[in-house]
Amino acid sequence: MRVLSTLLSLCFFSVLFAQSPLYFPDDPALTPDGSAIIFAYSGDLWRVSASGGSANRITAMDGVESSPKVSPDGKWLAFSSAQYGNNDVYLMPLAGGPITQLTFHEANDVVANWSWDSEDIYFTSNRYNRGTTFTVNRAGGTPKRILKHYHNTIHNPAPHPRSGALYFNESWESDNFTHRKGYKGPFNPEIKSFDLKAGTVTVHTDWEGKDMWPMIDRAGNVYFASDRDSREYNLYQLEDGKVKRLTRHKSAVFNPSISADGSAIAFIKDYQLQVYNVKSGKTKAIPVSLNAYVGLAKTKDFSTDGRVSYFDISHDGKKTAFVSRGELFVSDIAGKFIRQLKTGPERVMEVKWLKDDKSLVFTQTHQGYQNLFTIPADGSAAPTRRTSDTRNNRNLEMSHDTSMVAYLSGRDEVRMMNLEDYSVTTAAKQDVWFRGSIPRWSPDDRYLMFTGYVGFEEDIFLVDTKESNKLINLSNTGVTENDPVWSPDGKYIYFSSARHQPSYPRGGGDMNLYRLPLQQYDRPYRDAKVDELFTEKDKKEKKDSVVVEIDFDRIMERIETVGPRFGSQFGAYVFASGDKTIVVYGSNHAEGSTNLYKTVYEEFEKPETKSIAGGVNGSATDLVVRKGKPYLNIAGKIQEINV
């Protein structure tokens, strides 16, 4: 009876698994006649009828399989797999049979298309630069780079069956940043073609937004996706030099692929598999059930140990608030007693303690976008949403007097929230894109510092809150500056930069750490120290009475190198300990391994650089200092570090 009961239970769960709606398939590829679809899901490749139904698994390798493409003759399936850590190109008969590895490079090789004679496979790879297109013969051999001149970052290749021209894109917006909708600017992708015989390039589209994913059928009809009529990608046809719109979807299509006979185009929309019928002009969502045994249930681990993604220490140094697995927790400083706060079903990202040490402000997704919430730290009440933006609010930073919290909003705003009435002010409108350094308050809370993009490079900007939020480009160098922070005495700004190599278009070089004196400072005099021995200090003098004063005249000519001058240094945090200024940062200058280092500045002593005890990995951007004690997230655990 026990065996029968177990079998019935397993059958029941298998049926549930098969009947569940299929979300998050990817990389659909149609067979030449459009009758079947090969797609990637859960690390394997599957095949399903173009009308929907049960999908059969066709690969089960140890690595993750992706990017399937069927040969025009319908006999072969090329795909990528991270079988040995990075993607290589693999080949198998579509009807089933042995799998053959075709490339063996340590770079990422991603299958993109086939030649019309079904002999060569096009793939993109970063083996030459950030990424360009190669071919490899179906029988194997050395891959060949297609273009060896100015157009050396081509991707999305689509060979024309009649002219022999190769259609392509060459912007990172159509490769690494396809998810970024609505981009308009000089880096926008166009549909281009290269005549391999004549050596000429033709630009087929001139939309200032994104035209990408060119597709060509056996008859030579050219299709592509574009956001030219809305912020969402739709399908278009290029016919006699004119663009014809095919679909009017309100949500974007991704990763489209056409059947060789031109009858259908498969793509991902609303996280599901869908097919556009070229003749009828109609789109159909494809119902898919996986024809696979669910197997034994894996052990589920909900532990937060070693999985802290963000944390903050209360101002009294007694309590910790932290985020783990998208949930919000509070605990004592030692982490012995932990309480999970009920914040709802969506994901928590960041958290900060408010002034009273009894309340928290945190970011959590709301309808897909990160917004700001507050909640009592003891969990006695439900959270209150303080913003309702359809843009991501992130990189929280509390002012020193804890009256304001600054953050980045979307791709182009720096905002400040007043924590008395939770009103929000836009401090600056400047491109920060999707990364953006954490906005940092000066020690006197007058200036708000952040990095913004100018010509694809990050400059350091200051918002002067006492001068009607006047925006000042402090660096304006033409190279990128990262993660600037203030010194506690308000005399210096520390940042990382590759001073002699712009990051655009090929990426910057090694990032070294620098400090920028905000004025011309004399070195201390030993005589003055002797005089101090006979001077009584005013006991009423405030320790935190720092006033930041900046001499903007030729300011970037005053920068000084901090720490090693080789390797890369990044993610600095600066704090004071007695008469010492301690700069903590990540560096890989020692044998190429990345560890945490400190450079200590003390009057009348040479700066001293040492590794942090214990060989801590990483950078110091998320270091928190409370009551003179520095805490850092090390491998997902909050630890007090010895500096």
Side-chain angles (χ1 to χ4, degrees):
M1 286 297 293
R2 180 178 300 176
V3 173
L4 179 60
S5 175
T6 302
L7 289 174
L8 288 174
S9 297
L10 291 175
C11 289
F12 173 73
F13 285 114
S14 297
V15 170
L16 286 180
F17 181 69
Q19 292 180 345
S20 298
L22 186 66
Y23 286 88
F24 306 108
D26 208 356
D27 302 334
L30 286 156
T31 53
D33 61 359
S35 63
I37 306 170
I38 314 297
F39 63 92
Y41 180 77
S42 191
D44 295 317
L45 300 182
W46 305 72
R47 177 171 179 161
V48 68
S49 169
S51 60
S54 295
N56 294 317
R57 184 171 14 219
I58 57 177
T59 65
M61 300 168 67
D62 290 337
V64 174
E65 289 86 70
S66 62
S67 307
K69 292 292 179 183
V70 182
S71 61
D73 63 10
K75 295 180 180 180
W76 301 97
L77 177 68
F79 62 93
S80 296
S81 177
Q83 180 76 353
Y84 302 106
N86 59 282
N87 279 317
D88 284 303
V89 177
Y90 290 79
L91 180 73
M92 65 176 289
L94 186 62
I99 296 175
T100 304
Q101 184 175 350
L102 298 182
T103 65
F104 300 84
H105 201 278
E106 63 183 4
N108 273 322
D109 299 340
V110 180
V111 171
N113 216 329
W114 280 86
S115 62
W116 281 103
D117 61 6
S118 299
E119 289 294 324
D120 294 311
I121 300 163
Y122 292 86
F123 68 94
T124 59
S125 176
N126 59 349
R127 61 178 63 197
Y128 170 69
N129 52 15
R130 280 191 172 185
T132 192
T133 295
F134 296 76
T135 61
V136 64
N137 191 269
R138 191 186 71 206
T142 302
K144 299 177 181 178
R145 183 157 61 96
I146 294 179
L147 302 183
K148 302 179 181 180
H149 44 66
Y150 178 77
H151 300 281
N152 62 3
T153 58
I154 69 170
H155 49 272
N156 299 335
H160 197 285
R162 295 180 179 177
S163 68
L166 185 69
Y167 284 65
F168 63 91
N169 292 128
E170 57 176 340
S171 164
W172 288 108
E173 290 293 329
S174 51
D175 191 6
N176 287 357
F177 299 109
T178 57
H179 61 282
R180 180 162 67 181
K181 296 181 289 185
Y183 172 83
K184 294 180 181 180
F187 210 41
N188 63 303
E190 304 287 8
I191 304 299
K192 301 178 181 180
S193 65
F194 183 77
D195 188 321
L196 298 174
K197 295 180 180 179
T200 57
V201 173
T202 302
V203 180
H204 297 278
T205 63
D206 59 1
W207 164 239
E208 63 178 347
K210 299 170 78 166
D211 294 334
M212 55 189 185
W213 291 314
M215 299 167 284
I216 307 177
D217 64 17
R218 188 178 280 113
N221 297 308
V222 180
Y223 303 88
F224 64 97
S226 175
D227 61 357
R228 59 179 53 227
D229 292 305
S230 67
R231 289 178 60 90
E232 306 294 340
Y233 305 135
N234 272 278
L235 297 179
Y236 291 80
Q237 184 175 2
L238 188 63
E239 191 173 30
D240 297 328
K242 296 181 179 180
V243 174
K244 176 184 176 182
R245 185 174 183 177
L246 301 180
T247 63
R248 298 180 180 275
H249 301 307
K250 294 182 179 180
S251 54
V253 304
F254 286 93
N255 296 342
S257 176
I258 194 169
S259 60
D261 67 0
S263 63
I265 299 175
F267 50 83
I268 302 300
K269 187 174 82 73
D270 299 328
Y271 309 105
Q272 290 185 296
L273 191 61
Q274 303 199 19
V275 170
Y276 171 77
N277 185 297
V278 175
K279 185 176 181 180
S280 68
K282 295 182 179 180
T283 298
K284 176 186 176 183
I286 306 302
V288 179
S289 59
L290 301 183
N291 186 17
Y293 170 56
V294 67
L296 297 176
K298 294 182 179 179
T299 301
K300 294 182 178 180
D301 178 13
F302 296 98
S303 170
T304 62
D305 186 35
R307 293 178 174 85
V308 172
S309 57
Y310 197 96
F311 79 100
D312 192 31
I313 305 295
S314 61
H315 306 93
D316 60 13
K318 297 179 180 179
K319 301 179 286 292
T320 303
F322 64 93
V323 179
S324 178
R325 298 177 177 271
E327 301 287 350
L328 182 58
F329 300 83
V330 294
S331 73
D332 64 299
I333 195 66
K336 293 182 179 179
F337 312 105
I338 301 173
R339 175 177 294 172
Q340 181 178 350
L341 303 186
K342 296 180 180 180
T343 58
E346 298 203 41
R347 184 184 181 191
V348 177
M349 309 290 286
E350 305 171 43
V351 61
K352 294 287 185 183
W353 286 93
L354 295 184
K355 187 175 184 177
D356 60 4
D357 280 341
K358 296 180 180 179
S359 306
L360 303 168
V361 58
F362 65 95
T363 60
Q364 183 179 32
T365 56
H366 171 65
Q367 297 181 349
Y369 294 94
Q370 297 171 41
N371 276 276
L372 271 64
F373 295 73
T374 57
I375 190 173
D378 61 1
S380 59
T384 301
R385 188 174 72 254
R386 300 298 181 178
T387 64
S388 299
D389 296 311
T390 54
R391 49 169 56 210
N392 285 326
N393 298 323
R394 64 204 184 278
N395 289 14
L396 303 183
E397 181 72 357
M398 195 72 68
S399 63
H400 294 83
D401 65 5
T402 64
S403 66
M404 307 281 284
V405 63
Y407 58 92
L408 304 184
S409 184
R411 58 181 290 179
D412 60 356
E413 288 191 14
V414 181
R415 295 182 178 179
M416 303 180 296
M417 175 180 283
N418 186 314
L419 295 174
E420 293 294 328
D421 58 10
Y422 301 104
S423 59
V424 175
T425 303
T426 298
K429 289 188 70 69
Q430 178 69 39
D431 281 338
V432 294
W433 290 9
F434 294 94
R435 178 189 176 274
S437 298
I438 298 172
R440 303 286 189 178
W441 295 93
S442 60
D444 60 357
D445 289 332
R446 172 174 178 172
Y447 295 100
L448 185 58
M449 177 170 60
F450 67 96
T451 59
Y453 282 85
V454 177
F456 299 104
E457 304 293 336
E458 285 183 272
D459 284 338
I460 299 174
F461 286 84
L462 297 181
V463 176
D464 190 343
T465 62
K466 288 189 177 181
E467 293 290 338
S468 302
N469 290 343
K470 178 183 178 182
L471 186 61
I472 304 163
N473 188 332
L474 185 69
S475 55
N476 201 20
T477 57
V479 295
T480 284
E481 289 87 28
N482 286 147
D483 300 321
V485 292
W486 302 85
S487 64
D489 58 10
K491 293 183 177 181
Y492 296 90
I493 289 173
Y494 293 76
F495 61 91
S496 296
S497 179
R499 301 298 302 156
H500 306 293
Q501 186 170 346
S503 62
Y504 175 82
R506 300 181 182 277
D510 286 340
M511 304 284 286
N512 295 125
L513 188 61
Y514 298 89
R515 74 171 185 173
L516 174 63
L518 299 183
Q519 295 191 61
Q520 294 281 3
Y521 298 118
D522 287 336
R523 291 184 178 180
Y525 296 97
R526 294 181 182 273
D527 249 6
K529 289 296 181 182
V530 175
D531 290 339
E532 286 182 11
L533 299 176
F534 300 93
T535 304
E536 289 189 15
K537 292 185 178 181
D538 185 357
K539 295 181 180 180
K540 296 182 180 180
E541 182 182 352
K542 294 182 179 179
K543 294 182 179 180
D544 59 352
S545 58
V546 175
V547 176
V548 175
E549 296 180 352
I550 305 176
D551 177 6
F552 291 100
D553 184 37
R554 305 176 75 173
I555 187 170
M556 292 303 289
E557 296 180 10
R558 302 199 292 263
I559 60 173
E560 308 165 358
T561 305
V562 178
R565 300 196 179 195
F566 50 96
S568 284
Q569 291 75 48
F570 48 87
Y573 187 94
V574 188
F575 64 100
S577 178
D579 293 330
K580 298 179 180 179
T581 297
I582 301 175
V583 188
V584 182
Y585 53 91
S587 179
N588 63 357
H589 68 277
E591 300 180 357
S593 61
T594 299
N595 286 291
L596 208 61
Y597 289 82
K598 65 177 179 180
T599 295
V600 180
Y601 288 90
E602 187 176 9
E603 291 182 350
F604 308 107
E605 301 289 343
K606 290 184 178 180
E608 185 180 24
T609 298
K610 291 183 178 180
S611 64
I612 299 295
V616 178
N617 255 315
S619 70
T621 50
D622 57 353
L623 190 146
V624 176
V625 177
R626 290 287 185 264
K627 300 293 184 180
K629 297 180 180 180
Y631 299 86
L632 189 63
N633 185 352
I634 302 172
K637 295 184 178 181
I638 304 168
Q639 300 182 35
E640 182 182 345
I641 60 172
N642 179 18
V643 294

